Amino acid sequence: MIKLYDFELSGSCYKIRLFMNILGLEYQAQKIDFVNKEHKTEKYTALNPFGEIPIFEDDELRLRDAQAILIYLAKQYDSSKQWFPDDAASMGKIAQWLSTGGGEIMNAAGARLVKILDYPLDLGKLQAGAHRVFKIMDAHLATRQWLELDRPTIADIACFPYTAMAGEGGIDLTGYPNILSWIERVKRLPRFIPMPGISAPQ
Ligand SMILES: N[C@@H](CCC(=O)N[C@@H](CS)C(=O)NCC(=O)O)C(=O)O
């Protein structure tokens, strides 16, 4: 049985909820009281010493990090191999964006934490970091519909939530028209689900 340690407002947890819904997987959600830092208590640092969510379990397997979990889900449950194919070139191309989704785009996640949960972080630095990566992403998306392989992959899932919610961190996406089109494209994926801050497609 799959279990996700989850917080509704977490874009990182949403990556996993979204992909599991797309794959049609059933799972049990264990809600974490993120606002009161339950994920930092001993009970949860025993599961993930980094003190972060998502945490994911599938029977005896336990994983941390949304990107690692996306890889596992694709390899274990997507028999079509559409979302993370086996060939080395495709894996490398997708991995670039998994890294970006868990790396540079997290500047936008940090900015959002400052704005909505009063995290004591440097908002200006986070916003500038987010703009740096969005400029690169927008140029990349000028000639393609999806981040890699001309079809949706886990690269798109990993980069989507905190890009789509950038506005909640005070990051204006209007200067990035290719990103805005890509966001709408992701929202039209079969079995897409919204979350607070990411609306269903219009
Ligand atoms: N590398 C992890 C980072 C996940 C992450 O930053 N999670 C946030 C919630 S969205 C968290 O648990 N932060 C700990 C905290 O702010 O206390 C991933 O991509 O899954």
Side-chain angles (χ1 to χ4, degrees):
M1 178 72 189
I2 294 177
K3 183 169 179 180
L4 177 67
Y5 297 80
D6 193 21
F7 174 53
E8 197 191 12
L9 299 184
S10 159
S12 300
C13 293
Y14 168 69
K15 293 178 193 181
I16 309 308
R17 296 198 300 270
L18 173 59
F19 193 43
M20 288 200 292
N21 205 65
I22 287 172
L23 294 180
L25 298 175
E26 304 223 326
Y27 67 98
Q28 181 196 345
Q30 164 97 37
K31 285 196 193 325
I32 299 291
D33 185 354
F34 186 84
V35 175
N36 289 311
K37 306 248 177 246
E38 192 181 10
H39 53 297
K40 301 290 189 195
T41 61
E42 248 175 61
K43 178 175 173 194
Y44 290 103
T45 55
L47 304 184
N48 178 6
F50 286 77
E52 294 173 343
I53 50 172
I55 306 169
F56 171 95
E57 292 171 351
D58 192 358
D59 293 331
E60 299 304 305
L61 174 73
R62 180 177 303 129
L63 294 172
R64 61 171 174 84
D65 189 274
Q67 290 58 237
I69 299 164
L70 291 175
I71 289 175
Y72 171 76
L73 287 170
K75 298 300 278 183
Q76 183 72 358
Y77 292 110
D78 171 30
S79 52
S80 77
K81 299 185 190 291
Q82 163 185 341
W83 293 90
F84 193 51
D86 279 339
D87 69 284
S90 298
M91 290 173 101
K93 285 180 179 179
I94 291 169
Q96 301 176 114
W97 292 103
L98 297 180
S99 175
T100 306
E104 291 87 343
I105 291 175
M106 292 307 277
N107 280 298
R112 179 171 170 265
L113 284 173
V114 175
K115 289 276 196 182
I116 68 175
L117 288 181
D118 273 335
Y119 267 45
L121 302 170
D122 184 339
L123 181 61
K125 193 171 164 199
L126 291 164
Q127 290 173 331
H131 278 295
R132 260 196 307 280
V133 63
F134 291 152
K135 193 170 169 212
I136 293 166
M137 250 173 98
D138 194 66
H140 180 76
L141 285 165
T143 54
R144 41 176 79 71
Q145 304 261 300
W146 304 99
L147 288 173
E148 293 296 342
L149 310 191
D150 293 326
R151 63 168 192 268
T153 67
I154 55 173
D156 300 282
I157 305 285
C159 293
F160 173 70
Y162 289 117
T163 304
M165 291 191 287
E168 292 194 347
I171 299 154
D172 183 6
L173 291 180
T174 52
Y176 308 111
N178 303 312
I179 289 183
L180 291 174
S181 306
W182 169 78
I183 289 171
E184 289 310 307
R185 226 168 278 132
V186 174
K187 287 184 177 183
R188 283 183 169 72
L189 286 171
R191 302 183 64 98
F192 175 84
I193 46 167
M195 70 165 273
I198 302 181
S199 60
Q202 288 149 17

